Amino acid sequence: SQLSLTHSHTLALTLCMLDHILRCSLHNFLNTAKRNVRRSKMPLCGGVGEVKDADQEVHDICSEIKAEAEQQAGTTFDTFKATTYATQVVAGTNFFIKVDVGSDKFVHLRVFRGLPHAPGLKLHSLQMDKGKEDALDYF
């Protein structure tokens, strides 16, 4: 009887220690994972990424979409130069692009590029009368 009581206490103590070790390990793992996610530069699927300076890919997109943008805006643009952009990963990619159209005026474009099985660019929407300081947000 004394042996079974000691065995029960040892088992209970062992289970308690294992529970504590697992909880501490899980807590440390989750805190490390949270820190790594905050440091990550990878865009979240569905979320709009950070605003970056326009690169050659974005300039090429603007060149290809300019006529459609002019048609949607009902005007022609003498200047049409991308300055900044952000992307959103969806079933393809949305490009949110700030474009300098001259005379301290800007337009914001939302351009969709499909996945490889459905390639091509589509001007989804355009916002007129934007300034240099206007934030490039989801629209």
Side-chain angles (χ1 to χ4, degrees):
S1 138
Q2 184 138 55
L3 180 60
S4 64
L5 184 60
T6 303
H7 182 66
S8 295
H9 284 317
T10 303
L11 183 59
L13 183 60
T14 302
L15 289 174
C16 184
M17 289 171 50
L18 282 173
D19 180 63
H20 178 73
I21 290 168
L22 288 173
R23 287 177 189 262
C24 288
S25 295
L26 181 60
H27 176 77
N28 289 338
F29 172 78
L30 291 174
N31 282 338
T32 300
K34 285 179 188 174
R35 279 193 305 274
N36 289 340
V37 166
R38 275 185 245 134
R39 287 185 205 141
S40 173
K41 295 293 183 186
M42 292 227 10
L44 296 174
C45 186
V48 178
E50 65 183 287
V51 176
K52 300 178 265 192
D53 289 336
D55 57 17
Q56 189 58 50
E57 177 185 25
V58 174
H59 290 298
D60 292 345
I61 289 170
C62 284
S63 294
E64 191 172 329
I65 211 81
K66 182 181 178 196
E68 192 176 347
E70 290 175 330
Q71 183 179 6
Q72 214 175 92
T75 188
T76 57
F77 301 114
D78 293 330
T79 303
F80 199 76
K81 184 175 191 260
T83 59
T84 57
Y85 77 103
T87 58
Q88 177 190 35
V89 177
V90 290
T93 304
N94 280 323
F95 288 83
F96 297 89
I97 308 170
K98 180 179 286 211
V99 179
D100 181 348
V101 293
S103 302
D104 293 321
K105 293 182 182 176
F106 292 79
V107 296
H108 290 181
L109 307 177
R110 179 174 165 190
V111 179
F112 176 76
R113 180 176 63 199
L115 295 172
H117 71 277
L121 297 172
K122 166 132 181 56
L123 178 61
H124 182 276
S125 49
L126 176 142
Q127 293 181 333
M128 299 284 291
D129 302 320
K130 294 292 185 175
K132 184 176 184 174
E133 302 305 319
D134 287 333
L136 186 57
D137 295 319
Y138 176 90
F139 62 96

